[in-house]
Every structure is written in C-alpha cells, then in structure tokens.
Amino acid sequence: MRNTVHVRPRPRPEIMAIDVYVPGKSRVAGVANAHKLSSNESALGPSPKAVEAFLRSAGELSLYPDGSAVALREAIGHRFGLETSRVICGNGSDELLALLAHAFLQPGDEGLYSEYGFLEYPISIRAAGGVPVAANEIDRTANVDAMLERISARTKIVYLANPNNPTGTYLPFSELKRLQAGLPLDSLFVIDAAYAEYVAQNDYAAGIELASTCENVVMTRTFSKIHGLASLRLGWAYAPEPIIDAVNRIRGPFNINGPALAAGVASLADSAHIERSLDHNRRWLPWLCEAIRDLGIGVTPSVTNFLLLDFDESGTTARKADAFLSSRGFILRAMSAYGLPNCLRMTVGDEGANTSVVAALTEFMSDRNG
Ligand SMILES: *Cc1c(COP(=O)(O)O)cnc(C)c1O
C-alpha cells in the first residue's frame, strides 16, 4: 500500500464553502404545461426575428463562432452609443460577473454586496478566493451608507444589482454616483443592470455614464430578461479598456456560440418587440401588485418584471402557498436561500398566467382565512 491516508484530488477549501446555486424550478410532477414564473424570463418570449436568425445559424454549426463577437459588439455599440472596444460579451452576464471576480480578487480580498443582493455575487467572490461581505439593506433596498461603512482596505470588488433581484427595488443614479465616489480607487464597482430596460423612473440610469467616465466601473447587461433569450446564455459588459483587456485574457476564446451571436444581433434590431414586452410589463406589473395586495399579501414595490411576495413571518404560509400554487401548475421561486423564507418571488407572466395565478392565490388565501 502506497499510503495510509486516503489521498484524492481535493478542490480548494473555499470552493467547498460555496452553496450551489439552485435555479428556479422548471416543472412540477404531475402537472403538464405549468406556468413557469420562477426565473424572471420574458412573458412574451424572444423577437421572432431573433428566432429566425437562430434557425438560420443552424447551417453553420460545424464552424467556430467569431471569438471576438465583433458583429454583436458593434450592434450593441450602435444601439447604446458605446465604443465597441469597451464592450465585452459573456456566456450570460453570469459569466462576466464571475470572470470579474477572478480577474480582480486575490485570495483573502473582500467582495462587497448588499444583504438581499443577487446570490451569484457571493458565489463568484468565494470562487475567486475572496471573502464575501454583505451590507444591510433598508426597506429591502441597497443602502449606500451601509455599503460604504463595510468598505475596508481589502475591498477589491463591489457588486450592486440595480434594480436588484430578488427584491425588485432600485437606487436612483444620484446614489450610485455617491457610492462610486466613496469607493477606494482600486475597488472595482460592478453595476449589474440586468433589468435596466424595465425601469421607467426618471431618476434611474443603468450606469453607462459611470462606466464611461470612471476607471473602476463596469456595467453588465443581459439578453436573458427583456430580450427573452435566457436559454442562449448571452450577456455583455461596458467597461474601461484595461478591465476589458483583463477579462479577455481569462475568458474562453469562443465563449459565445454562433446561434447566440446571430440571435443577439437580430434582437437588438427589433425595437418594436422590446416595446411590446415593455408595454406588457407596464400593464401587468401594477395589476398584479394591486390584486395581490388586495388579498392581504405584502408586495415589495418593484420596477422590474417580477414581484416579491411577503407572507407571515414564520415562513409557514409562504411554504404552503408555494405547495398550493405548484399543485395548480404555477411555479414560483422560494426565497430561503436569500434569507427570506417568508417570501416567494413571482415573474410577470402572460395574461393567462397572471389572471389565473391571482385566482389561485385568492383561493389559497380564502381557504386559510375561511
Ligand atoms: C437574471 C439576472 C442576470 C442575468 O444573468 P444571465 O447570466 O445573463 O442570464 C444577472 N443579474 C441579475 C441580478 C439577474 O437577475
């Protein structure tokens, strides 16, 4: 025997401290055609032009895609008025969020995010050997003072989803600027604007201006939400060139597949479809919010395409509501992993899903009260 101790390959210890990200459920046993309201996907789906482009690209599956994503980066630059050299595409914005941590954190460095911030942030920070630090929120909203208080000499990355998932709340641009102004110059500020398109508030800005003018600011965006292309895994970031350069060195050389490149370009060109999706959301988000509040369920004010529902403190009612809705074919997202066991998150669905999920919730609440 070579060895008395059991030797096998072992991952870095910080990897084993990561809780695996649990995606929203896609199906429930015994229910056909469930309404999936668990992952904030687009109610209207992708642009038909994006689907056509995707299908056309099937003729080129044997060829490597353009590893520099030139056509897509140019389309993004054109659409948003950005320098193409400062745009980078990712296999979902998730990939970019993770690569930024890998590129800018050393073991033991701290990564800051807000209390109910997107769970990918602590995962990315830990995966890069960093230490996740969460700043308290007020009213389920990121708090700039609390974030600035948690800054230390070791803080090398700060993630803020604006608007945030799973809360649906946002910070006005003035607060983003105040946060940036308070950060050390060597802390990278990542503004994750996955839901930017949905926000109509005048005091909101996605972060293009900050990423254009500050050496330490990156804005990330996605095709997974308003563009309805979540399955293709496509996101992008706008950042100063030295940051783009660093991420380009560690990303996969062909991280975006050809069908995604083609569909992304076509989707950006179909602004009428994006408008339709926005109109749909502008109609149904307030309708759902009001109808659900009328049932005595708390709803956090949202500027996105989803709502955070609050049941009583114990978490028992949220669990029962989740089970009841599942049995009726409505898949919502349980929030225990976010430290919100009394909450469920619900995506704005199509008309049929919205009216029928409210009917099901009405039945659930009257059974409880009656
Ligand atoms: C959905 C979402 C994303 C997008 O992730 P992709 O990898 O681009 O699909 C990013 N950040 C937040 C906060 C999200 O909710």
Side-chain angles (χ1 to χ4, degrees):
M1 214 164 50
R2 247 187 340 148
N3 212 325
T4 49
V5 193
H6 183 160
V7 175
R8 61 179 168 86
R10 304 220 179 245
R12 286 183 278 123
E14 61 268 26
I15 301 294
M16 301 317 289
I18 294 173
D19 292 323
V20 172
Y21 183 86
V22 182
K25 284 179 287 186
S26 309
R27 54 184 66 82
V28 271
V31 181
N33 305 319
H35 295 288
K36 185 174 186 291
L37 305 174
S38 58
S39 299
N40 306 342
E41 292 136 329
S42 166
L44 299 194
S47 153
K49 292 179 178 138
V51 176
E52 266 169 43
F54 171 86
L55 293 172
R56 267 198 313 274
S57 73
E60 295 177 7
L61 289 182
S62 66
L63 305 176
Y64 277 100
D66 171 14
S68 309
V70 173
L72 179 58
R73 286 168 45 237
E74 281 175 354
I76 291 167
H78 180 71
R79 166 72 186 76
F80 294 95
L82 308 176
E83 282 173 62
T84 306
S85 59
R86 288 165 142 248
V87 174
I88 187 169
C89 295
N91 193 258
S93 50
D94 281 355
E95 183 192 34
L96 297 170
L97 296 170
L99 290 177
L100 287 164
H102 280 292
F104 288 92
L105 286 181
Q106 308 228 27
D109 282 348
E110 292 171 5
L112 180 65
Y113 61 104
S114 71
E115 186 177 4
Y116 301 118
F118 190 39
L119 274 182
E120 286 290 338
Y121 308 150
I123 292 176
S124 294
I125 293 162
R126 280 209 168 91
V131 179
V133 176
N136 288 342
E137 298 192 1
I138 295 179
D139 293 338
R140 304 254 170 90
T141 307
N143 182 266
V144 168
D145 292 316
M147 291 185 82
L148 290 175
E149 271 167 34
R150 301 304 303 271
I151 296 287
S152 81
R154 307 218 66 166
T155 310
K156 290 295 170 337
I157 197 162
V158 176
Y159 288 104
L160 180 74
N162 199 40
N164 184 49
N165 168 19
T167 53
T169 57
Y170 80 105
L171 287 182
F173 189 48
S174 55
E175 284 296 276
L176 249 62
K177 284 192 278 197
R178 194 162 74 82
L179 178 53
Q180 191 280 330
L183 295 180
L185 295 173
D186 64 348
S187 283
L188 183 65
F189 181 21
V190 182
I191 302 169
D192 175 352
Y195 301 91
E197 292 87 349
Y198 292 102
V199 189
Q201 276 69 9
N202 286 331
D203 59 356
Y204 174 82
I208 287 175
E209 181 189 322
L210 278 179
S212 301
T213 54
C214 307
E215 281 185 313
N216 65 338
V217 178
V218 179
M219 174 195 66
T220 63
R221 304 286 286 263
T222 184
F223 283 85
S224 300
K225 304 291 158 55
I226 192 91
H227 287 274
L229 294 171
S231 178
L232 286 185
R233 314 304 307 124
L234 189 56
W236 56 278
Y238 185 58
E241 274 176 38
I243 294 172
I244 301 284
D245 176 56
V247 176
N248 268 332
R249 288 165 196 263
I250 57 171
R251 71 173 172 85
F254 304 101
N255 59 334
I256 319 293
N257 63 77
L261 291 173
V265 170
S267 189
L268 282 169
D270 191 355
S271 44
H273 182 75
I274 302 296
E275 264 321 302
R276 273 193 297 278
S277 291
L278 267 180
D279 285 346
H280 177 86
N281 204 62
R282 288 199 190 117
R283 171 165 172 226
W284 287 103
L285 183 77
W287 185 87
L288 283 167
C289 185
E290 201 177 309
I292 294 169
R293 280 184 180 154
D294 283 348
L295 299 174
I297 300 166
V299 182
T300 303
S302 169
V303 297
T304 62
N305 69 333
F306 60 85
L307 292 167
L308 189 64
L309 278 46
D310 261 79
F311 297 85
D312 64 46
E313 281 305 318
S314 67
T316 316
T317 312
R319 244 185 348 266
K320 285 185 181 159
D322 195 20
F324 179 86
L325 292 171
S326 286
S327 73
R328 298 298 171 93
F330 301 99
I331 309 174
L332 275 66
R333 182 68 156 271
M335 287 282 114
S336 301
Y338 281 92
L340 296 165
N342 57 318
C343 292
L344 296 175
R345 194 190 64 203
M346 183 176 113
T347 312
V348 173
D350 62 20
E351 174 167 356
N354 296 336
T355 52
S356 55
V357 77
V358 166
L361 272 170
T362 306
E363 190 183 332
F364 172 75
M365 293 303 281
S366 66
D367 282 356
R368 273 189 76 245
N369 301 328

mmCIF file of all heavy atoms in Angstrom, residues 117-136:
data_model
loop_
_atom_site.group_PDB
_atom_site.id
_atom_site.type_symbol
_atom_site.label_atom_id
_atom_site.label_comp_id
_atom_site.label_asym_id
_atom_site.label_seq_id
_atom_site.Cartn_x
_atom_site.Cartn_y
_atom_site.Cartn_z
ATOM 1 N N GLY A 117 -28.774 40.999 -2.089
ATOM 2 C CA GLY A 117 -28.225 41.066 -3.447
ATOM 3 C C GLY A 117 -28.279 39.696 -4.119
ATOM 4 O O GLY A 117 -28.440 38.659 -3.467
ATOM 5 N N PHE A 118 -28.112 39.712 -5.432
ATOM 6 C CA PHE A 118 -28.146 38.504 -6.265
ATOM 7 C C PHE A 118 -27.141 37.470 -5.724
ATOM 8 O O PHE A 118 -25.988 37.794 -5.440
ATOM 9 C CB PHE A 118 -27.774 38.938 -7.684
ATOM 10 C CG PHE A 118 -27.965 37.920 -8.759
ATOM 11 C CD1 PHE A 118 -29.057 37.077 -8.776
ATOM 12 C CD2 PHE A 118 -27.049 37.854 -9.808
ATOM 13 C CE1 PHE A 118 -29.229 36.164 -9.809
ATOM 14 C CE2 PHE A 118 -27.212 36.951 -10.847
ATOM 15 C CZ PHE A 118 -28.305 36.104 -10.835
ATOM 16 N N LEU A 119 -27.581 36.211 -5.603
ATOM 17 C CA LEU A 119 -26.746 35.178 -4.979
ATOM 18 C C LEU A 119 -25.488 34.825 -5.768
ATOM 19 O O LEU A 119 -24.566 34.233 -5.225
ATOM 20 C CB LEU A 119 -27.567 33.899 -4.755
ATOM 21 C CG LEU A 119 -28.367 33.837 -3.451
ATOM 22 C CD1 LEU A 119 -29.092 32.506 -3.341
ATOM 23 C CD2 LEU A 119 -27.464 34.053 -2.241
ATOM 24 N N GLU A 120 -25.477 35.187 -7.057
ATOM 25 C CA GLU A 120 -24.263 34.907 -7.826
ATOM 26 C C GLU A 120 -23.060 35.693 -7.282
ATOM 27 O O GLU A 120 -21.917 35.305 -7.515
ATOM 28 C CB GLU A 120 -24.458 35.288 -9.302
ATOM 29 C CG GLU A 120 -25.331 34.319 -10.077
ATOM 30 C CD GLU A 120 -24.668 32.969 -10.300
ATOM 31 O OE1 GLU A 120 -23.434 32.882 -10.236
ATOM 32 O OE2 GLU A 120 -25.405 31.996 -10.518
ATOM 33 N N TYR A 121 -23.301 36.787 -6.571
ATOM 34 C CA TYR A 121 -22.158 37.606 -6.118
ATOM 35 C C TYR A 121 -21.316 36.881 -5.075
ATOM 36 O O TYR A 121 -20.105 36.721 -5.275
ATOM 37 C CB TYR A 121 -22.617 38.981 -5.620
ATOM 38 C CG TYR A 121 -23.504 39.738 -6.587
ATOM 39 C CD1 TYR A 121 -24.472 40.626 -6.135
ATOM 40 C CD2 TYR A 121 -23.384 39.550 -7.965
ATOM 41 C CE1 TYR A 121 -25.295 41.312 -7.016
ATOM 42 C CE2 TYR A 121 -24.206 40.224 -8.847
ATOM 43 C CZ TYR A 121 -25.162 41.101 -8.370
ATOM 44 O OH TYR A 121 -25.977 41.761 -9.239
ATOM 45 N N PRO A 122 -21.936 36.418 -3.955
ATOM 46 C CA PRO A 122 -21.081 35.682 -3.003
ATOM 47 C C PRO A 122 -20.463 34.429 -3.616
ATOM 48 O O PRO A 122 -19.340 34.056 -3.276
ATOM 49 C CB PRO A 122 -22.028 35.340 -1.838
ATOM 50 C CG PRO A 122 -23.415 35.617 -2.332
ATOM 51 C CD PRO A 122 -23.296 36.618 -3.426
ATOM 52 N N ILE A 123 -21.169 33.798 -4.567
ATOM 53 C CA ILE A 123 -20.602 32.609 -5.221
ATOM 54 C C ILE A 123 -19.348 32.993 -6.007
ATOM 55 O O ILE A 123 -18.295 32.362 -5.882
ATOM 56 C CB ILE A 123 -21.644 31.928 -6.146
ATOM 57 C CG1 ILE A 123 -22.773 31.315 -5.308
ATOM 58 C CG2 ILE A 123 -20.983 30.869 -7.033
ATOM 59 C CD1 ILE A 123 -23.907 30.700 -6.118
ATOM 60 N N SER A 124 -19.455 34.059 -6.796
ATOM 61 C CA SER A 124 -18.307 34.490 -7.609
ATOM 62 C C SER A 124 -17.139 34.932 -6.722
ATOM 63 O O SER A 124 -15.979 34.650 -7.024
ATOM 64 C CB SER A 124 -18.706 35.665 -8.516
ATOM 65 O OG SER A 124 -19.658 35.241 -9.458
ATOM 66 N N ILE A 125 -17.457 35.629 -5.641
ATOM 67 C CA ILE A 125 -16.409 36.123 -4.733
ATOM 68 C C ILE A 125 -15.673 34.937 -4.107
ATOM 69 O O ILE A 125 -14.436 34.876 -4.123
ATOM 70 C CB ILE A 125 -17.028 37.038 -3.646
ATOM 71 C CG1 ILE A 125 -17.580 38.326 -4.279
ATOM 72 C CG2 ILE A 125 -16.003 37.360 -2.556
ATOM 73 C CD1 ILE A 125 -18.573 39.089 -3.401
ATOM 74 N N ARG A 126 -16.428 33.968 -3.601
ATOM 75 C CA ARG A 126 -15.796 32.799 -2.967
ATOM 76 C C ARG A 126 -14.999 31.992 -3.981
ATOM 77 O O ARG A 126 -13.901 31.519 -3.685
ATOM 78 C CB ARG A 126 -16.863 31.887 -2.361
ATOM 79 C CG ARG A 126 -17.375 32.365 -1.023
ATOM 80 C CD ARG A 126 -17.820 31.164 -0.163
ATOM 81 N NE ARG A 126 -18.042 31.590 1.203
ATOM 82 C CZ ARG A 126 -19.225 32.008 1.658
ATOM 83 N NH1 ARG A 126 -20.274 32.052 0.864
ATOM 84 N NH2 ARG A 126 -19.332 32.396 2.919
ATOM 85 N N ALA A 127 -15.561 31.826 -5.174
ATOM 86 C CA ALA A 127 -14.878 31.012 -6.194
ATOM 87 C C ALA A 127 -13.519 31.598 -6.537
ATOM 88 O O ALA A 127 -12.597 30.874 -6.917
ATOM 89 C CB ALA A 127 -15.746 30.903 -7.448
ATOM 90 N N ALA A 128 -13.400 32.918 -6.394
ATOM 91 C CA ALA A 128 -12.131 33.575 -6.713
ATOM 92 C C ALA A 128 -11.213 33.631 -5.491
ATOM 93 O O ALA A 128 -10.158 34.261 -5.542
ATOM 94 C CB ALA A 128 -12.407 34.979 -7.239
ATOM 95 N N GLY A 129 -11.620 33.006 -4.394
ATOM 96 C CA GLY A 129 -10.778 33.008 -3.196
ATOM 97 C C GLY A 129 -11.024 34.208 -2.301
ATOM 98 O O GLY A 129 -10.299 34.426 -1.337
ATOM 99 N N GLY A 130 -12.048 34.991 -2.624
ATOM 100 C CA GLY A 130 -12.339 36.189 -1.843
ATOM 101 C C GLY A 130 -13.282 35.912 -0.688
ATOM 102 O O GLY A 130 -13.808 34.808 -0.530
ATOM 103 N N VAL A 131 -13.485 36.953 0.114
ATOM 104 C CA VAL A 131 -14.352 36.855 1.291
ATOM 105 C C VAL A 131 -15.594 37.717 1.036
ATOM 106 O O VAL A 131 -15.473 38.926 0.830
ATOM 107 C CB VAL A 131 -13.613 37.392 2.543
ATOM 108 C CG1 VAL A 131 -14.511 37.316 3.774
ATOM 109 C CG2 VAL A 131 -12.304 36.645 2.747
ATOM 110 N N PRO A 132 -16.783 37.101 1.005
ATOM 111 C CA PRO A 132 -17.987 37.892 0.762
ATOM 112 C C PRO A 132 -18.388 38.697 2.004
ATOM 113 O O PRO A 132 -18.367 38.179 3.111
ATOM 114 C CB PRO A 132 -19.072 36.851 0.442
ATOM 115 C CG PRO A 132 -18.526 35.541 0.873
ATOM 116 C CD PRO A 132 -17.062 35.658 1.115
ATOM 117 N N VAL A 133 -18.728 39.960 1.790
ATOM 118 C CA VAL A 133 -19.167 40.851 2.868
ATOM 119 C C VAL A 133 -20.494 41.448 2.434
ATOM 120 O O VAL A 133 -20.588 42.027 1.347
ATOM 121 C CB VAL A 133 -18.132 41.978 3.104
ATOM 122 C CG1 VAL A 133 -18.628 42.960 4.162
ATOM 123 C CG2 VAL A 133 -16.771 41.396 3.503
ATOM 124 N N ALA A 134 -21.534 41.306 3.276
ATOM 125 C CA ALA A 134 -22.860 41.828 2.907
ATOM 126 C C ALA A 134 -23.193 43.047 3.758
ATOM 127 O O ALA A 134 -22.996 43.032 4.971
ATOM 128 C CB ALA A 134 -23.916 40.738 3.099
ATOM 129 N N ALA A 135 -23.689 44.095 3.120
ATOM 130 C CA ALA A 135 -24.101 45.311 3.836
ATOM 131 C C ALA A 135 -25.615 45.297 4.006
ATOM 132 O O ALA A 135 -26.344 44.942 3.075
ATOM 133 C CB ALA A 135 -23.677 46.548 3.052
ATOM 134 N N ASN A 136 -26.087 45.689 5.180
ATOM 135 C CA ASN A 136 -27.524 45.675 5.455
ATOM 136 C C ASN A 136 -28.301 46.566 4.493
ATOM 137 O O ASN A 136 -27.781 47.569 4.006
ATOM 138 C CB ASN A 136 -27.811 46.151 6.881
ATOM 139 C CG ASN A 136 -27.390 45.107 7.905
ATOM 140 O OD1 ASN A 136 -27.197 43.935 7.566
ATOM 141 N ND2 ASN A 136 -27.242 45.529 9.143
#
